[in-house]
Amino acid sequence: MEKSTKNRILGFISLGIALWVTYMSMGLKATAYQGDPGPRMFPLIGAVIMAVCGIVMIVAPGQKEKVFLTKEQWKSCAKLFSMYLLLVLLLYLGGFLAAVPVMLFIITYMLSGLSLTDKTKKQRLVTSLIFGIVGGIVLYLMYVKLLDAKMPEGILMSMLRK
């Protein structure tokens, strides 16, 4: 099967999923507050984006490419995906306070090899460490203190509180 046919099929699948998400979102209860978009807003935004991408793939499916990802790109993709799996594990074990700064540091360091090519490893390490700590503090203040959101505590943190 040639690439343009695959892209058109994927476009129709994306459009179908977007319609399904829109249908399912309409069943969510609205809030009682005036002007509050409620829980429907984010699924509907995602559905619109997915529908637009699906329509683009149907209308302009693209040309045949030689290689989708190189071997190195697949390795980088696997590393990044494994970091997200580690994030889930850290959120389960240590909660938001432990997981977010650690993951911000690790992912920032991984990606700094691409963006900070003129820096040494030590400079990238220090920059990533600062970003992880400051970013973790900012996210904590915004979500936990400002928005009063309930973040995952983690089983280790809940054991320490007892």
Side-chain angles (χ1 to χ4, degrees):
M1 186 180 298
E2 86 178 50
K3 184 165 178 62
S4 62
T5 306
K6 287 181 184 179
N7 283 350
R8 282 201 172 98
I9 291 170
L10 185 60
F12 282 113
I13 291 171
S14 297
L15 198 56
I17 291 172
L19 291 172
W20 179 76
V21 168
T22 302
Y23 174 76
M24 295 301 289
S25 298
M26 290 302 156
L28 295 174
K29 303 271 187 215
T31 61
Y33 300 109
Q34 181 74 19
D36 184 16
R40 291 183 214 169
M41 184 178 73
F42 287 117
L44 288 177
I45 290 171
V48 167
I49 292 169
M50 194 169 208
V52 168
C53 292
I55 291 168
V56 167
M57 291 184 80
I58 293 168
V59 174
Q63 300 162 350
K64 190 173 183 178
E65 294 179 13
K66 294 179 183 171
V67 177
F68 175 63
L69 291 175
T70 65
K71 190 174 182 178
E72 283 302 312
Q73 290 170 332
W74 275 112
K75 285 180 185 178
S76 296
C77 184
K79 286 178 189 176
L80 194 57
F81 182 73
S82 66
M83 290 300 108
Y84 289 121
L85 293 177
L86 179 63
L87 174 62
V88 171
L89 179 66
L90 287 176
L91 282 171
Y92 177 73
L93 293 176
F96 180 82
L97 284 174
V100 170
V102 170
M103 289 311 297
L104 281 174
F105 163 70
I106 292 172
I107 292 174
T108 304
Y109 183 72
M110 285 174 58
L111 297 175
S112 70
L114 300 171
S115 61
L116 300 175
T117 53
D118 57 333
K119 306 278 185 183
T120 65
K121 281 190 177 187
K122 186 177 179 180
Q123 290 172 322
R124 289 182 16 232
L125 191 70
V126 170
T127 303
S128 300
L129 187 62
I130 291 169
F131 184 80
I133 292 169
V134 172
I137 291 170
V138 168
L139 288 173
Y140 174 79
L141 291 174
M142 285 178 60
Y143 282 100
V144 176
K145 296 299 180 184
L146 185 65
L147 296 174
D148 199 28
K150 179 82 171 120
M151 296 310 227
E153 191 174 76
I155 59 174
L156 296 177
M157 293 297 224
S158 62
M159 288 173 33
L160 291 174
R161 288 184 189 234
K162 291 181 181 180

